Amino acid sequence: MRDLQDRHNTTMLFISHDLRVVQFMCDEIGVMYLGEIVEQGPRERIYGAPAHPYTQALLASAPGKGGGRRARLQGEIPSAHAVPSGCAFRTRCPYAFDRCVSEKPAMRDVGGGQKGACHLLDRAAVAA
Ligand code: SF4
């Protein structure tokens, strides 16, 4: 597939749960939780400086990655038929606070082409 991409100078959409394959295959990455993209950006940014707690936990739980460096995922993923209010990740997020229950986080620019949907990335609110 990498050869085909290079040979035909084309774009492909690649979906996988295997983070090592994604890292090898993809230049741009979108991380999904309960059917919505919670973080997106260039491979180097996503793997080198993940901004969203879900991405951080995914990378920490990957074989050979993290080793407890970042928060690990707790609990079960909620049903897609009963998505939690506010931030859909709040029932498993170690950093959840009041605002996460009532308000769905907007996708915010983190820099370097990276974006994340988390209230902790709302610099204006965090600084206030
Ligand atoms: S918005 Fe809140 S619950 Fe959602 S990822 Fe950020 S801190 Fe966690």
Side-chain angles (χ1 to χ4, degrees), residues 52-54 87 89-90 93 95-97 100 105 117-120:
H52 193 282
Y54 179 56
C87 176
F89 186 55
R90 70 174 170 79
C93 180
Y95 310 115
F97 57 106
C100 308
C118 173
H119 293 311
L120 296 176

Side-chain angles (χ1 to χ4, degrees), residues 15-94:
I15 301 173
S16 176
H17 287 100
D18 189 324
L19 297 173
R20 288 168 300 182
V21 176
V22 170
Q23 188 172 19
F24 175 74
M25 286 294 301
C26 303
D27 301 319
E28 286 285 325
I29 295 171
V31 179
M32 296 189 81
Y33 186 76
L34 283 176
E36 294 203 21
I37 291 182
V38 296
E39 181 164 2
Q40 65 185 75
R43 171 183 52 219
E44 295 74 19
R45 297 280 304 200
I46 298 295
Y47 281 83
H52 193 282
Y54 179 56
T55 313
Q56 294 169 2
L58 277 181
L59 292 175
S61 63
K65 301 278 183 183
R69 194 162 37 102
R70 300 185 181 109
R72 289 181 178 269
L73 276 179
Q74 303 288 331
E76 295 297 315
I77 189 167
S79 165
H81 300 291
V83 176
S85 63
C87 176
F89 186 55
R90 70 174 170 79
T91 55
R92 305 175 77 196
C93 180

Side-chain angles (χ1 to χ4, degrees), residues 111-122:
Q114 185 179 15
K115 297 176 181 175
C118 173
H119 293 311
L120 296 176
L121 302 173
D122 181 358

